[in-house]
Amino acid sequence: MIHADMGRLDVQVLREAYGTFPSGVTALCALVDGSPVGMAASSFTSVSMDPPLVSICVANTSSTWVRLKPSTRLGVSVLAAAQEGAARQLSAKAGDRFAGLGLEVTDEGAVLIEGSAAWLDCTLFDEIPAGDHTMLLLRIEALRTFPEQQPLVFHGSAFRQLAQ
Ligand SMILES: Cc1cc2nc3c(=O)[nH]c(=O)nc-3n(C[C@H](O)[C@H](O)[C@H](O)COP(=O)(O)O)c2cc1C
């Protein structure tokens, strides 16, 4: 065995390390005072089958999460390969994040993006402080999948698609 030569932990290297792990991209959205509110999130992970739980980590600085948090239901859309533009728009600091997007809304106010690979209609199960982020545990109350849709992939700070 050879001794592993490990590098120093600094923000840039940490960002690069996290970026080596490919993830999907989701949109966490709900109707707030009659208008859609939401954000792109790549920290989505499936957590538990029983109860059905998924997690998303939100930055403690996120003003979007402050607005979403009181919602009875939270929509999670797993974005599809063709939705790179939607992902960029849903993370924009300025402008209408939902301009031009087809939206569907449940009776209880979860907002889902048309053209996605999956829709999860969730309740907030728990919030776990985790450094400069908060880990949201979301319980899936209802769902729909669109298996014909290929996923959007986020890797190394770039949007990618799976090779066909
Ligand atoms: C591909 C991608 C993935 C992102 N993933 C996350 C995430 O997992 N958690 C998070 O808090 N913000 C994430 N963001 C940032 C948010 O989409 C958004 O830019 C941020 O919430 C803006 O700050 P605000 O909430 O104060 O408006 C991501 C942005 C992009 C482009």
Side-chain angles (χ1 to χ4, degrees):
M1 263 184 272
I2 300 172
H3 176 74
D5 186 14
M6 301 297 284
R8 271 175 52 83
L9 204 165
D10 72 46
V11 173
Q12 185 55 33
V13 179
L14 192 57
R15 211 165 262 142
E16 270 173 36
Y18 287 174
T20 64
F21 186 71
S23 64
V25 186
T26 63
L28 178 66
C29 308
L31 218 52
V32 177
D33 299 329
S35 301
V37 170
M39 62 193 277
S42 58
S43 54
F44 173 92
T45 307
S46 53
V47 174
S48 163
M49 290 294 285
D50 186 15
L53 299 176
V54 296
S55 69
I56 290 179
C57 293
V58 288
N60 293 336
T61 53
S62 171
S63 58
T64 307
W65 173 239
V66 173
R67 296 176 68 200
L68 285 174
K69 189 176 165 175
S71 306
T72 315
R73 292 292 177 103
L74 295 157
V76 177
S77 300
V78 178
L79 298 184
Q83 292 177 307
E84 177 179 334
R88 288 185 194 283
Q89 202 170 295
L90 286 161
S91 64
K93 288 278 175 204
D96 178 1
R97 288 187 181 172
F98 293 90
L101 300 183
L103 304 181
E104 300 214 9
V105 185
T106 66
D107 290 345
E108 288 157 301
V111 172
L112 292 322
I113 316 289
E114 281 178 5
S116 299
W119 287 344
L120 311 178
D121 178 7
C122 300
T123 48
L124 182 60
F125 184 81
D126 205 355
E127 275 186 288
I128 302 162
D132 58 11
H133 281 59
T134 298
M135 182 181 269
L136 312 178
L137 283 180
L138 304 172
R139 183 186 175 120
I140 302 171
E141 307 291 347
L143 79 171
R144 192 164 160 200
T145 61
F146 305 90
E148 71 280 6
Q149 295 289 354
Q150 292 294 304
L152 181 62
V153 176
F154 193 59
H155 174 252
S157 307
F159 292 101
R160 302 176 192 274
Q161 299 184 15
L162 295 180
Q164 293 302 301

